[in-house]
Amino acid sequence: MSAPAAPSTPPAPAPAPAAPPVETMTVKVNGKTVQVPKTMPDWQGKPAPTTMLQAARIAGVDIPHYCYHDKLPVAGNCRMCLVEFGTPMIGPDRKPVLNEDGTPKIARSVLPYEPGTARGAIACATPISPGMEIYADSKATQQMRESVLESLLINHPLDCTICDQAGECKLQEYSVQHGKAGSQFVEAKVHKPKAVDLGPRIVLDDERCILCTRCIRFTRDIAGDDALGIVNRGSYNTIGAFEPGRFDNNYTLNTVDLCPVGALTSKDFRFKMRVWFLKETKSLCTSCGTGCNITIGSREGVIHRYEPRDNDAVNGPWMCDSGRLNYRWIGRADRLKEVLRTSSGGPRERITWNAALETAADILRRAPQGGVAFVVSARQTNEELFLLKKLATHTGALTDSVPREGDPDRLLVSADRNPNSNGVRLTGMAFTEFGFNLLKIADGIALGRIRTLVVFGEDLTREGLGPELLAKLDALIVSDILPNATTAAATLLLPGAAHAEKRGTFVNVKGRLQRFQKAVEPPGDARPESEFLQELVQAVTGEEPARSIEGLFNRMAAGVPAFAGVEWARIGDAGVTVQL
Amino acid sequence: MPEPFKLILKNLDEPGYTPDIGCYQRHGGYEALKRALAMPPRELPDGKKLSPQEALREDVKASGLRGRGGAGFSAGLKWSFVDRRSGKPIYLICNADESEPGTFKDRQILHKDPHQLIEGMILSCWANDVKLAYIYIRGEMPHGAKLLNQALKEARAAGFLGKNILGTGYDLEIHVHRGAGAYICGEETGLIESLEGKRAYPRIKPPYFPAVLGLYMCPTIVNNVETLCHVKHIVLMGPAEYAKLGTPNNTGTRIVSLSGDVRRPGYYEIQVGRVTLGELIFDQNFGGGLKAGRSLKAIIPGGSSSKVLKAGEVFKLNHKGADGQMTKVDVPLLDLPYDFDSLQQAGTMSGSSAIIVLDDSRSMVETLGNLSEFYAHESCGQCTPCREGALWLAKATHRLCHGEGRKADADYLTHIAQNIQGRTICAFGEAASWPVLSFVKKFRDEFEAQGAADEAAHANARGSVRPAAGSLPTH
Ligand SMILES: Cc1cc2nc3c(=O)[nH]c(=O)nc-3n(C[C@H](O)[C@H](O)[C@H](O)COP(=O)(O)O)c2cc1C
Ligand code: SF4
Ligand code: SF4
Ligand code: SF4
Ligand code: FES
C-alpha cells in the first residue's frame, strides 16, 4: 500500500475498519431462498439470534404484528405474527432426511398432541434455524391471523368513525388485509372505561385497547418510569396509570405514537384533525441540542403536530413531550411581520426589504474595523451563521452567541437547549464557551468603540446589555421572530423565519449535521434569513449569491473545514456526522 | 386386588405423626441427606469420576422420575438442561401452588410432613449447586406457609440448612413465598414473574426457558412438591430399586386425588401404572365405587384441564409383546393403567393426577359451564387468543346452561376452542380449550339437544329462534 498523498483539504473521516464477515444461514420465506445473518440487532441494538420476522423482512415479506416493535423488548402477547413453519427432518442417524431429488425433507410444524393440525410460532420472538421454511401466507397461517383478529374485534367498540387513529390504525389495516368479513360472536361485549385521564397530555380509551403493552414497555424500559400497568384479569384486563392522572414524564406522548390502535390519544391533538389531511414535512426539533428528527404535520399553512421521525443516529423513534409540543409559537399572532426602521430620533417606519438591506449595507460598509459587533443565536442555521461570519470578518467585528442551559435527562434531552451550538462554533462565530465576548462587547459599546451591533435571534437585554446601553449605539440591526426588548430597541428590524418556514442545517451536540425542510410560509414580510443575508453580503462584499440553499450549503462546505466534502444531497434525511 | 403403595404418604397419616423435625427424624428423617452428603466421588467403569453431586443428578435421571406437577417431564433431563456455565447463580423453586381443580395432594405433604419436602429440596439443591431456593406456596394456604417456615427454622437449627450444612461447607437458604391467589401463578414462568414481585404473566419460550433465563434471568429449576419428595427416596433406595416401582418409563409412585361421584373420594398413592382407572374408581381400597343406582358417565383423568374420557370408550394402546414387537391392543376405559403414557395414548393426560368422576346424574353441559367459567376467571389475559377466547367460551357455555343455547353452539364452541389451543404463550390455552373440545366431541348429542331444546322453547315463546345474547355476571 502506498502512502497517501498529503491532504490538501482536511482528511475525510477514515473508512471504518473492514467489518468481520457476517455469519449467515439460509432460510426460505414463502418459497424464496434468502441468506440472512445469524444474529441481528435486538431492541437495544445488541446482537441477538435473528428472528423469523427479521428474516422475512429481508425476504421482503412483512409479517403483521401488533405488540412487536423494533425498539421495545419483545412481549409476544398479541399472537398476530403467528406463522406456520417447517424445519429439515433429521433421521435417527442425526443426518438430514432427503427427498428423492436430494433436497432436504421438511417437517411442517404441528401440534404435538394433534399431529394433523399446524402449529404456529410467533415470528417476533422465534429464532430461525438453518434450512427453516417460513410459510407467511399459507392457509394455516392465514387462519391463525384471522382468528387473532376476530378475537381482538369481539370486544372492540368498533367506533372508527369518531376515532383519532382512523387512517393510522393497525387494527383497521390488518382487518382489511387479513380479516374475515364477519364474526360468529353473539355474546355481550365487555365494557371498560372510556376517556380515562391518564396524565396531563394523554387520554385512554380502554375499550379500544388491544393490550399489546407497547405503552407499558415504553414507559418502563425506555423512559425509565414504571408508570403504567394492567389491572384486573383475563378479558377484563385494563391499562391503568400507577397513580391516576399522573402519567406525566417528559416522554408520555411517544405512547400515542406507539399505540397501534386509537386507545391512547394526545390531548393536544385529539379530535383536531383527520390525519389524512395533514401535509408531512421532514424537519428537526429545535428545543435542545439533541436535534431529534421530526415530521411536521401541517395544513394550509398551520402546524398541527410534531411527530418523531426515526433516526437511529440521533433519537431512534422517540422525542420528548416538551419538544413535541413546542410549536405553537410559530403561529403566534404577535410574530414580527414587518421590516421596520427608526431614523435617529424619528418614529418607526415600515420600509421595503430593499431599503432595509441598503441601509444595513451602508452602515456595515462605512463602519471602521472593530466598530461593529455581532451577537448571533445558536438557533440560527449553519448557512445563516456562515453568511454572518462573512460580514463579521469584513468588518473585523467581535462576535459571540448566548448559551441556553437546562437539566439533561437520561434519554434524549440535552443540557444544551440551543439546537445549533456546534454550528456557531464550527462557523467561527463564537468560542467553545458562549458569552465569553459579551462583556467585551458591552464595554466596547459603553466606551463608544463599538457603534453598530448586529443581533440575530437573541434578546440582549436579558444578557446584561440593557436598553440604556443599547441606546448608545448608532445602529442596532436586529433580526428575530418574536418581539422582545431588543427588537423594540432596534433601529433596523428584519423579521426572520422559524425553522419550519425555511430550509437549512444544524449540527447537534454530538456533531450530527442534519438538514430540515420547509413546512409552512413565514408570515407577512418575514423572510428566511439566508435569503436576505445573501443579498446583504453581496451589497457589502460584492460576492454573488448562490441560487439555492443547496448551492449555499455547498459553498459553505468548501469554506468551513468541518463540512469539507459534504454536499447538501449527501446529508440525506438522516444527516451525517462531522468532526467537532 | 391392587393396594395403595405408601412411599411419600408412608408416615403422614399415621396416628401421632406430627409435622415437627423431632417426629420426622424419629421416622428416619434427614438420613438420606446425611448419606448423600457423605458420599465419595463415584468411579465410572470407563475411568471417569463423578462428583457426588453429579452422581445424584445421574441417579435421578436413571430413576426415571417424571414431574408430578402436570407435564410429566423427566426430572433428571430437566436438571441436565440447566445452564451451568453462565457464571450466574442457579435457583431452585418448589412449585407448591397446587391450584388445578381436583388436585389436593401436595397440600397433604405441606401440612403434615413438611420436612419430607425440605429434605428432598436440600438434596435437589445440593445436586444442582443451588445456594438459594424458594417454596412458592399457594396464597390460600396460609397455615401451610406457617408450618413450612417453622420447619425451615427447625432444619436450620439442626444444621441441615443455612451455612456449612452438616460440616460439608455447603450453604443453602430456602425461603417461603406466598402466592398471589391465581391459578396462573402455578405455571412455572408465571410463578417466576410472581416471585420477582410482578404480575404472574407467563413468559414466552423461547427465549425464557427457566433452565437458562429463569428467576432474575438466572438458570432455574422448577419442580413440583411431590417430585422433589421423590428425590429423597431415590437416594435412600438407589435408582435401580426405585425404578422397580411402577412400570417402565412410568416409575415410582404417584398420589392420586380422587373426587367426584365416588363413595370414597380422597388421595391415594399408587405405583404408577400398576393400578387401572377402573380399580381406582371401584375397588374398596380406593374409590369404592359409585353411589347406589348410579352408572359411570365420564372421567376427567388428570385435573380439570385434561380431556374427558367417556364411559365405554375403548382405546388403542401400544403393547410391547414378549418378543419385543410393538403391537396395538384394545384397552377399554376402565382397564387403562393409570400412568403417564397410557393416558397420553388414550388422547388425554394424567396431568396433576387428579381424577374427577362423573356419574349419570351429571349434565355435561353444566359441568363444562363450570369449568369454562373457572378458566375465564383465571386467564391472566396476557395473550389474545386465551384472553378473549376463554371468556367467550364461558359466555357461550353460560348461555347453554341458562336456556339461551343454540343447536349451532356445539360447532361454535369447537371453533372458539380450536383457535386457542397451540396459539398461546402458556399451556393455559390448552387447559382452557381441551375440556371444551373433548366435552363437545364426546358428548355432542347432549350439547345439541340442549341447544335445540332452548331454541324450541324460544320459538314457542316468541316465534323467534334467535336468542338474545347472553352474558356472564362480571366479577
Ligand atoms: C396453567 C398452569 C397451571 C399450573 N399449575 C401448577 C401447579 O399448581 N403446581 C405445579 O406443580 N405445577 C403446575 N403447573 C405446571 C408447571 O408449569 C411446571 O410444569 C411444574 O411445576 C414443573 O414441575 P415438575 O416437572 O416437577 O412437574 C401448571 C401449569 C400450567 C400451564
Ligand atoms: S393502550 Fe395502546 S399501546 Fe397501550 S396496551 Fe393498549 S393498545 Fe397497546
Ligand atoms: S430531546 Fe431535545 S431535540 Fe429531542 S424532542 Fe426533546 S427538546 Fe426536541
Ligand atoms: S395462555 Fe392465557 S394464561 Fe397463558 S399467558 Fe396467555 S392469556 Fe395468560
Ligand atoms: S407481534 Fe405480537 S406476538 Fe409477535
Side-chain angles (χ1 to χ4, degrees):
Chain A
M1 232 172 107
S2 63
S8 53
T9 51
V22 189
E23 274 195 81
T24 61
M25 62 172 104
T26 307
V27 298
K28 264 191 191 174
V29 182
N30 294 353
K32 179 176 158 194
T33 304
V34 277
Q35 286 276 112
V36 293
K38 277 189 173 164
T39 63
M40 286 182 74
D42 68 3
W43 65 284
Q44 292 171 302
K46 292 192 206 134
T50 302
T51 63
M52 293 167 127
L53 190 134
Q54 290 171 319
R57 270 188 189 160
I58 292 173
V61 174
D62 186 27
I63 296 177
H65 54 272
Y66 287 117
C67 66
Y68 175 78
H69 187 282
D70 287 356
K71 295 289 154 59
L72 295 177
V74 174
N77 59 33
C78 74
R79 317 307 278 182
M80 189 62 195
C81 67
L82 280 168
V83 284
E84 189 189 8
F85 65 101
T87 43
M89 271 165 97
I90 303 292
D93 55 354
R94 311 290 311 147
K95 291 211 183 95
V97 184
L98 300 180
N99 289 314
E100 305 234 311
D101 62 356
T103 55
K105 228 187 177 88
I106 300 293
R108 288 211 167 207
S109 52
V110 292
L111 295 178
Y113 45 80
E114 206 178 286
T117 306
R119 177 172 82 88
I122 48 170
C124 66
T126 309
I128 49 164
S129 55
M132 179 183 261
E133 298 195 348
I134 298 166
Y135 312 117
D137 283 332
S138 71
K139 250 182 113 160
T141 299
Q142 285 177 17
Q143 198 281 329
M144 293 180 215
R145 253 174 229 163
E146 271 170 23
S147 80
V148 168
L149 275 170
E150 183 180 21
S151 294
L152 287 173
L153 289 170
I154 56 173
N155 286 309
H156 187 88
L158 304 175
D159 54 355
C160 306
T161 47
I162 54 156
C163 179
D164 262 337
Q165 193 81 2
E168 296 181 317
C169 176
K170 286 275 169 198
L171 197 54
Q172 275 188 341
E173 194 179 305
Y174 289 157
S175 298
V176 172
Q177 287 167 6
H178 308 289
K180 270 208 307 216
S183 165
Q184 309 184 13
F185 188 75
V186 296
E187 325 298 334
K189 283 184 195 273
V190 172
H191 286 292
K192 294 188 194 174
K194 310 280 280 183
V196 179
D197 186 14
L198 273 194
R201 293 173 293 285
I202 309 281
V203 178
L204 164 68
D205 182 323
D206 271 308
E207 286 193 342
R208 289 182 191 152
C209 168
I210 59 164
L211 294 159
C212 70
T213 71
R214 279 182 172 198
C215 54
I216 298 177
R217 284 175 281 148
F218 172 80
T219 190
R220 184 188 63 208
D221 299 314
I222 308 291
D225 175 18
D226 200 353
L228 298 180
I230 289 176
V231 294
N232 300 336
R233 264 202 323 226
S235 217
Y236 303 101
N237 271 7
T238 303
I239 298 281
F242 172 61
E243 266 184 278
R246 289 292 305 280
F247 180 44
D248 62 355
N249 67 57
N250 195 23
Y251 291 92
T252 61
L253 285 165
N254 291 288
T255 61
V256 177
D257 303 334
L258 283 169
C259 184
V261 294
L264 294 172
T265 45
S266 152
K267 287 186 188 171
D268 183 63
F269 187 69
R270 212 166 131 83
F271 304 132
K272 235 166 63 172
M273 184 61 57
R274 285 313 217 176
V275 292
W276 50 81
F277 291 132
L278 290 179
K279 176 180 113 180
E280 299 197 326
T281 307
K282 294 183 172 118
S283 185
L284 302 172
C285 173
T286 57
S287 297
C288 86
T290 301
C292 292
N293 291 210
I294 63 168
T295 303
I296 297 179
S298 64
R299 187 182 181 207
E300 289 168 4
V302 179
I303 295 175
H304 289 283
R305 69 175 179 190
Y306 285 179
E307 280 188 302
R309 179 165 57 88
D310 228 314
N311 186 344
D312 280 353
V314 183
N315 52 307
W318 327 121
M319 75 184 293
C320 77
D321 288 3
S322 42
R324 184 192 303 246
L325 295 176
N326 191 15
Y327 65 86
R328 287 235 161 77
W329 59 273
I330 296 171
R332 253 163 67 175
D334 61 347
R335 278 284 300 269
L336 299 176
K337 299 188 194 79
E338 294 176 343
V339 189
L340 299 172
R341 182 172 59 195
T342 316
S343 316
S344 51
R348 265 197 164 184
E349 51 173 347
R350 185 172 174 192
I351 58 170
T352 63
W353 274 104
N354 275 346
L357 295 175
E358 256 167 46
T359 307
D362 198 44
I363 296 167
L364 295 177
R365 269 196 307 257
R366 285 163 191 247
Q369 285 290 301
V372 184
F374 282 70
V375 180
V376 296
S377 175
R379 290 167 163 174
Q380 306 299 142
T381 71
N382 293 320
E383 295 72 16
E384 293 156 6
L385 294 162
F386 169 68
L387 294 165
L388 287 161
K389 176 68 180 175
K390 281 182 192 285
L391 296 173
T393 307
H394 190 85
T395 52
L398 266 177
T399 62
D400 205 351
S401 189
V402 174
R404 201 169 260 109
E405 302 276 328
D407 287 332
D409 72 8
R410 56 187 280 283
L411 187 52
L412 287 175
V413 177
S414 160
D416 181 356
R417 295 296 155 83
N418 276 318
N420 197 28
S421 299
N422 279 322
V424 171
R425 293 183 189 113
L426 293 174
T427 53
M429 285 304 276
F431 301 103
T432 311
E433 191 94 22
F434 290 0
F436 191 76
N437 276 343
L438 278 184
L439 226 62
K440 273 199 223 164
I441 293 172
D443 279 352
I445 299 171
L447 296 173
R449 253 198 337 258
I450 294 173
R451 310 227 40 94
T452 298
L453 183 61
V454 181
V455 183
F456 268 67
E458 295 291 353
D459 179 4
L460 293 188
T461 63
R462 294 162 65 168
E463 310 301 327
L465 280 74
E468 326 74 51
L469 189 70
L470 297 180
K472 296 200 161 149
L473 291 159
D474 293 341
L476 176 59
I477 303 174
V478 178
S479 173
D480 216 322
I481 300 172
L482 291 166
N484 58 45
T486 304
T487 62
T491 57
L492 192 61
L493 184 60
L494 310 171
H499 74 291
E501 298 159 352
K502 62 191 178 191
R503 297 200 287 162
T505 59
F506 289 141
V507 181
N508 82 355
V509 283
K510 291 196 177 135
R512 193 79 178 174
L513 170 66
Q514 311 193 88
R515 57 179 207 196
F516 54 88
Q517 309 289 347
K518 173 174 160 178
V520 293
E521 289 296 332
D525 293 342
R527 282 176 78 191
E529 295 86 324
S530 65
E531 274 179 42
F532 67 73
L533 279 172
Q534 289 214 81
E535 290 168 27
L536 184 58
V537 167
Q538 185 181 28
V540 175
T541 69
E543 183 181 325
E544 280 291 315
R547 252 184 233 107
S548 61
I549 192 82
E550 289 86 344
L552 176 59
F553 177 87
N554 296 345
R555 196 178 281 181
M556 170 178 68
V560 175
F563 302 154
V566 185
E567 282 167 31
W568 174 270
R570 230 197 75 205
I571 302 171
D573 290 335
V576 294
T577 300
V578 299
Q579 199 71 44
L580 289 182
Chain B
M1 188 160 32
E3 301 218 345
F5 186 98
K6 292 194 166 186
L7 184 69
I8 306 291
L9 299 181
K10 182 154 184 256
N11 301 321
L12 57 77
D13 283 326
E14 290 306 315
Y17 191 81
T18 50
D20 57 275
I21 196 166
C23 180
Y24 183 63
Q25 286 195 280
R26 283 197 296 283
H27 289 75
Y30 290 110
E31 287 307 317
L33 180 65
K34 288 180 195 160
R35 194 189 297 178
L37 262 56
M39 212 91 87
R42 183 181 297 172
E43 297 265 3
L44 294 185
D46 63 2
K48 262 203 258 166
K49 244 191 194 168
L50 290 183
S51 73
Q53 289 94 328
E54 282 172 314
L56 177 51
R57 298 207 294 268
E58 285 307 312
D59 286 353
V60 169
K61 216 186 266 176
S63 75
L65 176 64
R66 293 171 70 167
R68 302 310 197 229
F73 194 79
S74 156
L77 216 50
K78 183 185 275 190
W79 292 7
S80 74
F81 293 153
V82 168
D83 181 358
R84 296 175 198 282
R85 304 229 172 101
S86 67
K88 299 186 206 167
I90 300 168
Y91 295 111
L92 184 141
I93 303 170
C94 168
N95 189 342
D97 195 56
E98 192 166 65
S99 312
E100 176 85 1
T103 317
F104 43 87
K105 61 178 184 78
D106 294 338
R107 69 197 68 188
Q108 312 305 332
I109 302 164
L110 296 167
H111 288 95
K112 300 177 201 164
D113 202 4
H115 282 286
Q116 183 175 198
L117 169 63
I118 292 167
E119 186 175 7
M121 274 184 84
I122 301 171
L123 284 163
S124 305
C125 290
W126 174 75
N128 287 292
D129 306 314
V130 172
K131 304 264 188 308
L132 189 55
Y134 295 87
I135 302 172
Y136 187 99
I137 185 170
R138 182 172 168 166
E140 292 88 337
M141 304 202 265
H143 187 59
K146 220 180 267 171
L147 285 171
L148 278 172
N149 273 320
Q150 174 61 26
L152 288 170
K153 214 159 108 189
E154 292 167 350
R156 230 170 267 133
F160 300 132
L161 200 57
K163 289 253 174 271
N164 193 16
I165 294 172
L166 294 175
T168 58
Y170 173 58
D171 304 336
L172 171 68
E173 212 26 272
I174 300 179
H175 297 297
V176 176
H177 183 96
R178 284 186 57 199
Y183 173 56
I184 202 59
C185 293
E187 195 279 341
E188 57 187 8
T189 58
L191 184 156
I192 288 172
E193 286 280 300
S194 172
L195 193 51
E196 288 183 5
K198 303 182 217 150
R199 202 175 151 84
Y201 263 8
R203 294 176 176 172
I204 48 171
K205 291 144 270 185
Y208 303 110
F209 295 106
V212 185
L213 296 171
L215 185 64
Y216 307 120
M217 291 298 136
C218 296
T220 302
I221 296 166
V222 182
N223 274 130
N224 170 259
V225 172
E226 192 186 347
T227 314
L228 291 166
C229 290
H230 278 283
V231 174
K232 163 190 162 165
H233 299 280
I234 292 165
V235 170
L236 286 178
M237 299 170 73
E241 271 310 300
Y242 179 91
K244 285 183 192 155
L245 296 175
T247 52
N249 205 39
N250 297 270
T251 59
T253 66
R254 273 198 100 168
I255 309 171
V256 175
S257 312
L258 185 62
S259 68
D261 300 320
V262 287
R263 287 171 190 262
R264 284 164 37 89
Y267 50 96
Y268 300 97
E269 189 170 9
I270 59 165
Q271 288 197 53
V272 185
R274 297 267 184 106
V275 184
T276 65
L277 266 176
E279 287 161 347
L280 279 166
I281 295 170
F282 291 99
D283 277 15
Q284 287 314 312
N285 288 334
F286 301 106
L290 307 172
K291 288 175 200 138
R294 291 286 163 211
S295 61
L296 182 70
K297 186 168 187 180
I299 302 170
I300 300 172
S304 61
S305 314
S306 60
K307 287 188 172 170
V308 69
L309 301 175
K310 185 176 181 175
E313 273 191 276
V314 177
F315 306 98
K316 290 238 178 286
L317 259 57
N318 293 327
H319 178 77
K320 198 171 182 176
D323 54 356
Q325 286 289 317
M326 286 299 243
T327 50
K328 292 270 183 197
V329 292
D330 283 343
V331 179
L333 171 66
L334 295 179
D335 293 345
L336 270 181
Y338 196 73
D339 64 37
F340 298 99
D341 294 342
S342 303
L343 285 162
Q344 195 188 340
Q345 288 179 56
T348 182
M349 62 175 180
S350 60
S352 60
S353 65
I355 301 175
I356 303 168
V357 180
L358 302 172
D359 70 21
D360 58 347
S361 71
R362 302 291 166 184
S363 150
M364 296 313 278
V365 175
E366 287 191 8
T367 306
L368 184 64
N370 178 307
L371 292 177
S372 292
E373 195 171 332
F374 170 79
Y375 287 107
H377 186 255
E378 295 298 334
S379 163
C380 82
Q382 183 180 197
C383 64
T384 309
C386 168
R387 174 180 70 240
E388 304 301 337
L391 184 64
W392 191 358
L393 287 171
K395 284 178 174 173
T397 50
H398 183 84
R399 265 198 297 102
L400 271 162
C401 293
H402 291 82
E404 302 274 294
R406 305 171 305 167
K407 195 149 179 271
D409 281 337
D411 287 334
Y412 181 76
L413 286 167
T414 304
H415 162 82
I416 304 166
Q418 265 167 349
N419 286 338
I420 305 174
Q421 68 161 356
R423 302 185 184 179
T424 55
I425 290 179
C426 82
F428 185 102
E430 277 77 20
S433 50
W434 282 352
V436 176
L437 291 172
S438 59
F439 272 60
V440 174
K441 185 172 168 205
K442 295 183 180 176
F443 298 91
R444 193 178 184 91
D445 45 352
E446 220 171 293
F447 283 82
E448 289 188 340
Q450 181 68 55
D454 290 351
E455 282 180 349
H458 277 276
N460 287 340
R462 45 183 153 87
S464 150
V465 274
R466 180 127 187 134
S471 67
L472 261 194
T474 51
H475 61 140

